[in-house]
Amino acid sequence: MSNESNLKSMSDLVALCKQRGFVFQSSEIYGGLNSCWDMGPYGVELKNNLKARWWKSMTLRQDVVGIDASILMHPTVWKASGHVDGFSDPMVDCKVCKERFRADNIDMTKPCPKCGSKESYTDVRQFNLMFKTQMGAMEDTSSMVYLRPETAQGIFVNFLNVQTTMRKKLPFGIAQIGKAFRNEITPGNFIFRTREFEQMEMQYFVKPGTQKESMEQWKETRWKWHVENGLRAEKIKWAPHGPDSLAHYADAATDIEYEFPMGWGEMEGIHSRTDFDLKQHQEFSGKNMNYVDQVNNEKYLPYVIETSVGADRCLLAILCDAYRLENAGDPDKERSVMKFHPALAPIKTAIMPLSKKSELEEVSNKLFEDVSANYKSEYDVAGSIGKRYRRQDEIGTPYCITVDFDTLNDHAVTIRSRDTMTQERIGIANVQNYLKDKFKF
Ligand code: GAP
């Protein structure tokens, strides 16, 4: 029987994330701001590692280039994209307890799920999810702009800029990581659904008629990426969209879902967006968005396969998946450990002198200086070795390196593996090579 147990409830993860410095509630000293979260020192390292892996997986390819578009865009962009008229959720309130619901998430023939009142709902209203703000000193409608609800439109409006300056031939993609904002009616489940979040999106422009084949390739690529990040394959699944749930711009779509503690939820969407966006921007801007195929002497609007994953939601899946409670119930052996893929782990090694004796600290400091030049590391001298191991387990540090009194004679250190808890004695001179081998990805 396995002695590992998985995350049972989101509140266990929220507690660990706060206690260990991964994620804090935004503006906590003022009581917090609903659904807004701040990345703490380990959270930001983890998230940066995740984003860097995504960026590399996209832009090391010959056929994908990156951009970083502005969050604020011309308001007509959102008219053209359909967001002004169509990016809304149906909303109802309970007239008794005032709780607000997304009408498509509850059965309105049943009593209010919060207070149990019968027939207490208001009429369903459509609520646009885009945040509005003012640009410049004049606070009138002419200065109104939106915070982008998806990063994708920054890519569509730059399609020709990128294609011509990079001299790209179809098929090719444009990748981007950036913040997006949605005034969600029911945010929640920690960082699963928030009003400010980050997306990692890639739009792949293809010749019309080849979109199905391209979508299959991207589905395979994206599934592999999640598994290579360490997500257990049995915790992810495909959730294809039927005709009823397709977005207005798509002719096919499928999600990759992760089994979060509250149930299966969308982590990434892979959408076949047709030429909808380019066509709309062509119409609204009056600019010709055609791709010119010089070889075949053709001009046309490309079709688009989009891969869109929330950095924060993917991070949540990584956190949930990495969390293990081992030997639960045995006070001597119980430990919680974050089994992050080594490439994602926020801290790669912890250097631990066995005691604060100056001879040990001298060797440890030198080792720390050498190792931390290549790997984000911690120097940890406080508390018993057992306690220090537990702390490093909880932040997911793959290797702890202990400097003890024997080190002064044999010039070797003990390297303890997070996952197996086995220990190896390695000569100090070989530590860099040992780590190079372990962090080879
Ligand atoms: N450009 C297409 C698009 O934005 P989406 O399915 O609305 O598609 C893509 O969003 C991904 O963005 C989702 O799979 C999810 O990971 C993330 N996402 C969407 N809304 C979010 C929210 N309120 N909070 C956190 N992540 C969100």
Side-chain angles (χ1 to χ4, degrees):
M1 203 176 70
S2 164
N3 63 1
E4 287 190 358
S5 68
N6 294 317
L7 187 64
K8 292 286 185 303
S9 80
M10 195 64 94
S11 53
D12 289 348
L13 184 69
V14 177
L16 181 135
C17 281
K18 174 167 182 192
Q19 195 193 355
R20 290 302 184 199
F22 283 96
V23 184
F24 305 126
Q25 198 182 11
S26 163
S27 326
E28 191 187 282
I29 58 168
Y30 290 101
L33 182 65
N34 188 14
S35 99
C36 293
W37 300 91
D38 297 340
M39 290 295 142
Y42 296 135
V44 72
E45 292 292 340
L46 182 64
K47 192 172 169 189
N48 282 346
N49 292 342
L50 184 66
K51 289 193 289 184
R53 259 172 97 77
W54 184 89
W55 189 256
K56 266 185 163 178
S57 78
M58 289 293 174
T59 61
L60 290 186
R61 298 168 56 118
Q62 272 297 304
D63 58 349
V64 179
V65 290
I67 64 162
D68 182 16
S70 166
I71 288 175
L72 302 175
M73 301 179 73
H74 194 289
T76 312
V77 167
W78 305 109
K79 192 84 192 133
S81 67
H83 285 81
V84 170
D85 297 324
F87 194 56
S88 49
D89 280 339
M91 173 176 79
V92 287
D93 296 317
C94 169
K95 286 187 235 167
V96 178
C97 69
K98 311 288 181 221
E99 187 74 10
R100 179 158 286 176
F101 303 98
R102 261 176 66 170
D104 52 344
N105 281 352
I106 55 166
D107 181 350
M108 290 184 61
T109 61
K110 295 209 168 125
C112 167
K114 178 86 187 295
C115 70
S117 301
K118 289 189 182 140
E119 294 174 15
S120 61
Y121 297 116
T122 58
D123 289 340
V124 176
R125 284 110 64 213
Q126 287 298 324
F127 175 73
N128 193 293
L129 302 185
M130 282 197 294
F131 279 98
K132 291 183 191 127
T133 189
Q134 304 291 138
M135 194 152 178
M138 299 295 286
E139 289 201 6
D140 57 25
T141 49
S142 65
S143 65
M144 204 266 298
V145 289
Y146 299 98
L147 301 187
R148 67 181 175 197
E150 62 170 9
T151 54
Q153 296 305 324
I155 289 179
F156 290 124
V157 299
N158 275 301
F159 164 67
L160 280 184
N161 281 339
V162 175
Q163 191 262 317
T164 50
T165 54
M166 298 294 108
R167 294 171 295 132
K168 284 287 177 200
K169 295 200 170 35
L170 292 193
F172 78 94
I174 306 179
Q176 176 171 216
I177 299 178
K179 290 259 182 175
F181 303 82
R182 296 182 188 178
N183 201 358
E184 299 280 3
I185 297 171
T186 48
N189 282 317
F190 195 26
I191 53 173
F192 179 82
R193 179 167 286 111
T194 51
R195 294 188 170 118
E196 172 183 344
F197 54 97
E198 232 169 333
Q199 288 188 314
M200 306 189 283
E201 294 202 298
M202 191 279 315
Q203 271 66 38
Y204 200 69
F205 298 88
V206 302
K207 186 169 184 179
T210 63
Q211 70 271 22
K212 270 202 181 115
E213 184 193 330
S214 179
M215 177 141 170
E216 286 312 307
Q217 284 165 4
W218 278 107
K219 276 171 63 181
E220 194 185 322
T221 304
R222 295 303 304 146
W223 180 276
K224 229 171 118 205
W225 185 79
H226 289 290
V227 173
E228 281 171 3
N229 283 342
L231 288 188
R232 287 166 289 180
E234 68 272 22
K235 302 284 275 181
I236 56 178
K237 70 171 186 194
W238 290 113
H241 286 237
D244 297 346
S245 64
L246 275 184
H248 59 276
Y249 48 71
D251 68 358
T254 185
D255 294 336
I256 299 177
E257 291 191 345
Y258 179 80
E259 191 178 19
F260 294 98
M262 70 283 183
W264 289 94
E266 174 187 341
M267 180 170 60
E268 167 151 2
I270 298 161
H271 312 123
S272 173
R273 282 182 88 127
T274 66
D275 58 359
F276 174 85
D277 301 270
L278 291 180
K279 201 187 255 168
Q280 291 291 102
H281 289 307
Q282 178 164 273
E283 189 185 322
F284 279 73
S285 68
K287 298 275 179 333
N288 186 341
M289 301 293 280
N290 271 336
Y291 169 75
V292 181
D293 177 347
Q294 280 160 342
V295 179
N296 298 307
N297 206 15
E298 290 177 299
K299 283 184 193 167
Y300 52 83
L301 288 178
Y303 270 38
V304 171
I305 302 300
E306 164 183 81
T307 72
S308 175
V309 58
D312 310 84
R313 206 175 275 184
C314 186
L315 180 77
L316 181 62
I318 298 280
L319 285 163
C320 291
D321 212 73
Y323 182 97
R324 305 283 201 290
L325 189 60
E326 291 185 347
N327 298 299
D330 179 343
D332 293 332
K333 291 196 185 142
E334 185 173 297
R335 66 166 186 158
S336 42
V337 50
M338 298 300 276
K339 290 196 168 171
F340 297 125
H341 185 292
L344 294 176
I347 303 295
K348 307 295 188 217
T349 76
I351 313 291
M352 304 176 168
L354 192 63
S355 90
K356 287 183 180 158
K357 288 256 161 36
S358 61
E359 313 91 274
L360 293 192
E361 289 237 53
E362 204 175 301
V363 181
S364 306
N365 274 322
K366 170 82 179 70
L367 184 60
F368 177 73
E369 220 169 85
D370 291 348
V371 169
S372 61
N374 295 317
Y375 307 99
K376 178 86 184 153
S377 298
E378 280 195 353
Y379 187 86
D380 193 356
V381 73
S384 73
I385 278 288
K387 276 212 177 110
R388 282 184 260 169
Y389 282 157
R390 293 290 173 268
R391 185 176 170 278
Q392 295 299 333
D393 284 346
E394 286 198 358
I395 61 168
T397 307
Y399 298 100
C400 289
I401 307 178
T402 306
V403 176
D404 56 28
F405 288 100
D406 288 340
T407 307
L408 302 177
N409 300 317
D410 67 3
H411 306 289
V413 289
T414 302
I415 304 192
R416 180 248 195 197
S417 149
R418 172 196 73 194
D419 294 345
T420 61
M421 293 197 282
T422 52
Q423 305 193 352
E424 283 178 81
R425 197 82 185 154
I426 306 283
I428 291 182
N430 295 328
V431 167
Q432 291 280 12
N433 273 343
Y434 177 93
L435 295 176
K436 204 167 163 190
D437 187 51
K438 296 290 184 191
F439 291 110
K440 184 169 64 187
F441 26 75

